[in-house]
């Protein structure tokens, strides 16, 4: 066990039981012309975290620790897309519609793919999730159990939606959750700040937060 400098207090990492989960670092959320920009968002806020996410991924790979990637996407026939989800957002460009990078958030389309700089390698797990949380309608829980993972480090986007939702799901399932602050982002800085405050409030009620350098130093100790 090794302590990672964190808030609200040190995170006691278990090197044999820890994994990195990279949430939804997809082209549609980070690149010009994607779904994120179509909703009026400044995607440069997402692209700026790519170097930090990449360092974290490479650090876990170097340490021989699991890296798990998620992608928010739906079946081509939209059978896993509730109308309540499709009907929100930009009324002129919805999930399943043709966009500049193919059908928006549909499995197998170019825009749904993970950014090339952060792409999975070898046998890294990729979870295709139809919801905001990575446990909903996926086999993530079974995968973690088979690998005896009890602790999760989180990176990705957006902090207040898919990242926080997955952390809360994991917390309720008994996992200890640590958010890498520089490796997560929101289109709205105030939302990221609020999510971080909520996560670590009341003695890490949802989880801990830490800086990428401190996480990397600990896993290579």
């Amino acid at each position: 066990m090794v302590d990672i400098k964190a808030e609200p207090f040190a995170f006691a990492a278990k090197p044999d039981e820890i994994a990195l989960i990279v949430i939804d670092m997809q082209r549609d959320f980070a690149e010009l012309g994607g779904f994120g920009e179509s909703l009026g968002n400044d995607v440069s806020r997402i692209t700026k975290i790519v170097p930090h996410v990449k360092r974290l991924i490479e650090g876990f790979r170097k340490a021989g620790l699991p890296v798990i990637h998620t992608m928010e996407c739906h079946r081509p026939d939209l059978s896993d897309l509730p109308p309540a989800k499709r009907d929100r957002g930009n009324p002129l460009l919805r999930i399943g519609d043709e966009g500049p990078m193919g059908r928006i958030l549909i499995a197998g389309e170019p825009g749904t793919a993970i950014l090339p700089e952060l792409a999975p390698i070898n046998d890294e797990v990729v979870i295709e999730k139809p919801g905001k949380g990575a446990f909903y309608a996926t086999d993530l829980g079974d995968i973690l159990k088979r690998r005896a993972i009890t602790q999760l480090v989180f990176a990705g986007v957006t902090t207040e939606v898919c990242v926080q939702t997955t952390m809360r799901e994991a917390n309720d399932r008994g996992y200890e959750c640590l958010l890498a602050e520089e490796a997560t982002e929101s289109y709205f800085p105030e939302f990221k700040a609020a999510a971080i405050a909520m996560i670590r409030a009341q003695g890490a009620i949802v989880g801990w937060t830490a800086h990428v350098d401190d996480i990397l130093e600990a896993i290579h100790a």
Side-chain angles (χ1 to χ4, degrees):
M1 191 174 297
V2 58
D3 281 350
I4 298 175
K5 182 180 177 182
E7 293 291 342
F9 51 86
F11 182 87
K14 304 171 185 176
D16 294 333
E17 300 178 22
I18 197 167
L20 172 65
I21 296 191
V22 183
I23 304 287
D24 299 0
M25 291 300 295
Q26 298 163 242
R27 295 183 63 202
D28 249 332
F29 298 138
E31 292 186 359
L32 295 173
F35 188 46
E37 189 187 39
S38 80
L39 297 173
N41 297 310
D42 177 7
V43 294
S44 69
R45 292 193 56 82
I46 306 304
T47 55
K48 75 177 184 180
I49 71 167
V50 169
H52 300 296
V53 179
K54 185 175 182 179
R55 285 199 303 128
L56 203 53
I57 291 173
E58 291 176 348
F60 269 72
R61 288 172 179 165
K62 184 178 179 181
L65 299 174
V67 177
I68 297 170
H69 307 258
T70 76
M71 299 191 301
E72 183 177 351
C73 58
H74 296 273
R75 298 169 183 163
D77 64 3
L78 305 183
S79 60
D80 60 353
L81 176 61
K85 181 179 181 181
R86 177 172 166 77
D87 290 345
R88 282 172 279 173
N90 181 351
L92 302 178
L93 201 60
R94 299 192 185 282
I95 295 172
D97 292 344
E98 285 290 340
M101 292 183 273
R103 294 180 70 197
I104 294 170
L105 295 188
I106 298 301
E109 295 289 333
T112 302
I114 293 169
L115 293 168
E117 308 96 302
L118 308 176
I121 62 169
N122 303 328
D123 59 349
E124 289 177 352
V125 172
V126 179
I127 300 291
E128 294 186 356
K129 61 184 184 67
K132 304 305 182 188
F135 288 88
Y136 170 71
T138 75
D139 58 354
L140 176 58
D142 292 335
I143 290 169
L144 296 175
K145 287 179 182 177
R146 285 197 296 270
R147 298 190 176 196
I149 299 298
T150 65
Q151 297 182 321
L152 301 171
V153 175
F154 286 87
V157 297
T158 60
T159 314
E160 77 280 8
V161 185
C162 293
V163 175
Q164 182 179 205
T165 300
T166 303
M167 288 188 74
R168 289 179 179 274
E169 288 181 326
N171 181 67
D172 281 346
R173 287 166 170 78
Y175 295 95
E176 293 179 311
C177 302
L178 175 65
L179 178 65
E181 292 188 32
E182 302 94 338
T184 185
E185 194 49 81
S186 169
Y187 297 118
F188 309 96
E190 66 273 23
F191 290 178
K192 176 181 176 178
I196 286 175
M198 286 187 283
I199 286 166
R200 65 191 189 194
Q202 301 182 72
I205 193 167
V206 174
W208 290 255
T209 70
H211 295 295
V212 170
D213 285 343
D214 292 325
I215 297 170
L216 293 176
E217 180 181 351
I219 66 173
H220 291 289

